[in-house]
Amino acid sequence: MTDLRWGLLAAGSIAADFAAGVERSKHGTLEAVAARSADRAREFATRFDIPKAYGAYEDLLADPDVDAVYIATPHPMHAQWAIRAAEAGKHVLCEKPLTVTAAEAEKVIDAARRHDVFLMEAFMYRLHPQTRRLVELISCGAIGEVRAVDVSFSFDTGANDAPRLADPALGGGGILDVGCYCTSLARLVSQAATGTEVVEPTTVTGMARLTDRGVDEFAMGLLRLPGDIIAQLSCGYRLTQDDHIRVYGTTGQLHVPQPAWLPQMRRATSSQIVLTPSGGEPEVIEIEATQSVFAREADHVAAHVDDRQVPELTWAETIANMRTLDRWRAAVGYGG
């Protein structure tokens, strides 16, 4: 396993969560942070005892002591800075979604390939023991043949509390921000059920409540996936819903009441999967996470940096999810 010196590109709340994770990781250290203002970078560096603070992203990429870059900018800036980081010879962990469109994601992956650097989209939930146990249960036939999936991730920021999420120029909307978890999970269920490495839906439909700027406040999607599995997805940033995962099979169902992507699941904590056989009593399966999800993510990058990809989130997996998001946004009339 390679020890990595991290540079954080942006200094917002998600960067703070990742910085705290690196502090608790076994194979990562915080080397530098860059923000759009030097003062903001210095404040962040002081908070996490980071040696170097830069007021320009270019300066961080030029630092020879930075091995890997964590990109935590708004969505539309991901492609530009992931490509710039690859060109600078830095390994890249980029927040989800990797880019705004699949076409942009292809360009980022091409840059990583050409410059021979590691690249991973930061879907940290895919590394959580809860997710791995869910996949095991589906793969071993614990609920028979999977027929349907129901996934929800939705919250209400309030009318004036989400300028980024409401702005189409910043990749706003629930589908890109949290719906990406729903498409990722639904596809993962199909992959586990069919024994296929990467799947894409054959059909994508949906509806949304759009703002006057064409941004989805909340949306629902309906996918037909390989294995003849139907997935119902619900997401949003202006509607509180019951966040959950439900997988229905021919001999039972699985319920995850607190999916691993929720904010309260970021620390090392326990969670549950409820297995209910058809006509039987529910069985609560306890899942214990001994490491915070961001610390786990940093160590997972270190473990696979020489492979350039991780098995849970290959570049093909990222492209498949981005294409699904493109189709969902088109189906609801995003931007129209």
Side-chain angles (χ1 to χ4, degrees), residues 2-326:
T2 303
D3 290 337
L4 295 176
R5 298 169 296 180
W6 285 94
L8 309 183
L9 206 151
S13 59
I14 194 67
D17 286 340
F18 183 73
V22 173
E23 287 183 326
R24 292 171 174 80
S25 71
K26 300 173 184 176
H27 297 279
T29 56
L30 297 168
E31 182 67 28
V33 60
R36 286 174 291 181
S37 79
D39 287 344
R40 183 177 178 86
R42 283 192 291 268
E43 290 171 3
F44 192 98
T46 299
R47 177 180 172 188
F48 290 99
D49 196 24
I50 300 174
K52 301 169 187 175
Y54 297 111
Y57 297 156
E58 295 90 344
D59 293 341
L60 183 144
L61 296 182
D63 188 334
D65 295 328
V66 170
D67 301 313
V69 173
Y70 174 70
I71 297 174
T73 65
H75 308 331
M77 300 171 68
H78 287 181
Q80 173 190 355
W81 290 106
I83 291 170
R84 293 281 294 275
E87 291 171 345
K90 309 299 185 186
H91 303 301
V92 179
L93 175 64
C94 182
E95 259 311 315
K96 57 77 207 164
L98 181 66
T99 55
V100 174
T101 67
E104 284 186 342
E106 293 275 14
K107 293 178 181 178
V108 172
I109 290 168
D110 180 64
R113 184 181 291 112
R114 285 187 291 107
H115 296 281
D116 191 27
V117 298
F118 174 93
L119 170 67
M120 175 179 149
E121 184 179 24
F123 271 121
M124 76 295 190
Y125 92 94
R126 293 289 288 266
L127 311 176
H128 196 284
Q130 178 198 90
T131 306
R132 293 180 173 179
R133 185 68 176 122
L134 181 66
V135 167
E136 289 172 359
L137 290 165
I138 293 167
S139 299
C140 76
I143 58 171
E145 296 182 15
V146 175
R147 291 287 184 256
V149 188
D150 179 9
V151 191
S152 177
F153 189 3
S154 186
F155 55 92
D156 188 357
T157 62
N160 301 310
D161 295 334
R164 176 185 66 80
L165 290 170
D167 190 345
L170 294 178
I175 291 175
L176 278 182
D177 196 63
V178 290
C180 56
Y181 288 103
C182 301
T183 55
S184 174
L185 186 283
R187 293 178 41 264
L188 180 62
V189 168
S190 176
Q191 286 162 192
T194 61
T196 307
E197 284 192 7
V198 179
V199 305
E200 293 187 49
T202 57
T203 305
V204 179
T205 62
M207 298 184 72
R209 178 184 174 90
L210 301 175
T211 68
D212 56 6
R213 303 171 75 183
V215 170
D216 58 297
E217 289 188 332
F218 61 88
M220 297 192 73
L222 197 62
L223 315 182
R224 183 179 294 276
L225 291 154
D228 201 23
I229 296 167
I230 305 299
Q232 177 178 282
L233 317 178
S234 184
C235 69
Y237 71 94
R238 288 302 315 281
L239 184 67
T240 300
Q241 298 184 69
D242 177 22
D243 298 328
H244 64 267
I245 300 166
R246 293 185 183 274
V247 185
Y248 300 93
T250 54
T251 63
Q253 63 176 275
L254 296 165
H255 175 215
V256 183
Q258 287 193 313
W261 55 64
L262 294 176
Q264 61 266 35
M265 294 294 294
R266 292 174 181 175
R267 62 187 184 276
T269 187
S270 61
S271 61
Q272 298 177 340
I273 298 175
V274 182
L275 168 61
T276 306
S278 298
E281 292 297 317
E283 174 192 354
V284 177
I285 300 169
E286 297 287 346
I287 312 294
E288 191 68 34
T290 57
Q291 190 179 32
S292 72
V293 71
F294 289 107
R296 182 183 302 274
E297 186 176 52
D299 282 336
H300 206 67
V301 173
H304 292 279
V305 70
D306 291 339
D307 303 324
R308 301 309 192 236
Q309 303 180 53
V310 298
E312 295 87 352
L313 284 158
T314 62
W315 299 343
E317 171 71 14
T318 289
I319 289 297
N321 207 53
M322 289 303 312
R323 282 198 286 251
T324 304
L325 292 171
D326 284 354

